[in-house]
Amino acid sequence: EAQVTQNPRYLITVTGKKLTVTCSQNMNHEYMSWYRQDPGLGLRQIYYSMNVEVTDKGDVPEGYKVSRKEKRNFPLILESPSPNQTSLYFCATQDRGLAGELFFGEGSRLTVL
Amino acid sequence: AQSVTQPDIHITVSEGASLELRCNYSYGATPYLFWYVQSPGQGLQLLLKYFSGDTLVQGIKGFEAEFKRSQSSFNLRKPSVHWSDAAEYFCASPNDYKLSFGAGTTVTVRA
């Protein structure tokens, strides 16, 4: 079954405590990306990766890092989380350029106190 | 850059009634356009997409959307709503290397 798996699904943390949200896909897609969803703002892209070792900033990259060391994994790193990073995060993959369907994970709800 | 706007934040509809969700796009050339649905606690699922050709697009779950260049719109419709259609709906279009999403429309279905 085609899957995009995110972990953790829910996390409450405190300001400044580094955390990583993992994303793994089994569809062999080259393109992966991270979005955050906030009420009234829809989804906004944080980072994307066109292939292994190729990453670039999206619309709201401040405070986040990513890495793409292998095709199936694309972790999102918050080095020093702040309350304004409290949000719902989605990892997504895509099979063929911008015309392809995005496949989303189930989301990770992060609360930073 | 291509962008989309969803004018309606929240819509309430009775079960069995018809539903239409609005999406306006801003782009000179023929755009790629998508509708996604997000059920409570779930990720987003693609309902349908438009690239070119027939302006009336059929999707999953009984939804359809019509591309109207003269109105810069890509509205989503369903003739008869079921309680399970209560969700948040997003219109989206590609923009550089990402999808640009509208703010979303929340649909509430009353019995």
Side-chain angles (χ1 to χ4, degrees):
Chain A
E1 180 188 353
Q3 279 189 326
V4 180
T5 304
Q6 298 179 222
N7 280 296
R9 294 287 313 281
Y10 302 91
L11 180 64
I12 300 174
T13 190
V14 296
T15 299
K17 186 176 182 182
K18 180 179 179 180
L19 68 92
T20 299
V21 186
T22 64
C23 175
S24 180
Q25 53 111 349
N26 64 359
M27 292 173 278
N28 203 37
H29 288 171
E30 292 186 344
Y31 181 90
M32 298 185 74
S33 57
W34 277 101
Y35 288 81
R36 60 177 289 174
Q37 182 180 11
D38 301 289
L41 297 176
L43 282 83
R44 295 175 293 168
Q45 190 186 61
I46 303 170
Y47 268 94
Y48 66 93
S49 170
M50 299 296 288
N51 211 330
V52 176
E53 301 294 357
V54 180
T55 65
D56 208 345
K57 297 177 181 178
D59 291 327
V60 288
E62 294 77 20
Y64 305 95
K65 286 176 57 178
V66 293
S67 69
R68 188 88 182 275
K69 292 184 170 53
E70 50 189 336
K71 198 172 191 178
R72 64 181 291 124
N73 295 321
F74 190 44
L76 179 70
I77 303 158
L78 286 73
E79 294 272 3
S80 182
S82 62
N84 64 12
Q85 293 178 296
T86 293
S87 187
L88 179 59
Y89 292 87
F90 288 100
C91 179
T93 74
Q94 195 168 19
D95 62 351
R96 51 183 180 89
L98 296 178
E101 176 182 353
L102 274 180
F103 293 86
F104 285 85
E106 292 189 318
S108 297
R109 184 166 293 281
L110 171 65
T111 301
V112 183
L113 302 176
Chain B
Q2 193 168 321
S3 65
V4 293
T5 304
Q6 295 178 248
D8 304 305
I9 296 173
H10 188 215
I11 286 179
T12 299
V13 61
S14 297
E15 192 168 14
S18 64
L19 174 68
E20 181 167 9
L21 304 181
R22 296 186 290 166
C23 173
N24 299 316
Y25 69 88
S26 63
Y27 192 63
T30 298
Y32 290 170
L33 292 162
F34 302 83
W35 274 102
Y36 282 82
V37 60
Q38 183 182 24
S39 298
Q42 301 294 315
L44 280 75
Q45 181 184 22
L46 180 68
L47 283 175
L48 47 80
K49 59 187 176 185
Y50 172 78
F51 293 159
S52 64
D54 194 347
T55 56
L56 186 62
V57 181
Q58 301 297 320
I60 62 172
K61 301 177 187 275
F63 283 92
E64 67 179 24
E66 186 170 11
F67 173 72
K68 291 186 177 180
R69 183 184 297 280
S70 62
Q71 297 177 17
S72 298
S73 69
F74 186 58
N75 294 350
L76 182 71
R77 300 193 295 248
K78 185 168 184 176
S80 178
V81 168
H82 186 261
W83 64 265
S84 60
D85 294 321
E88 191 162 16
Y89 294 81
F90 293 93
C91 182
S93 67
N95 191 354
D96 293 332
Y97 293 102
K98 64 178 180 289
L99 274 188
S100 289
F101 287 85
T105 299
T106 300
V107 172
T108 298
V109 180
R110 59 181 175 220

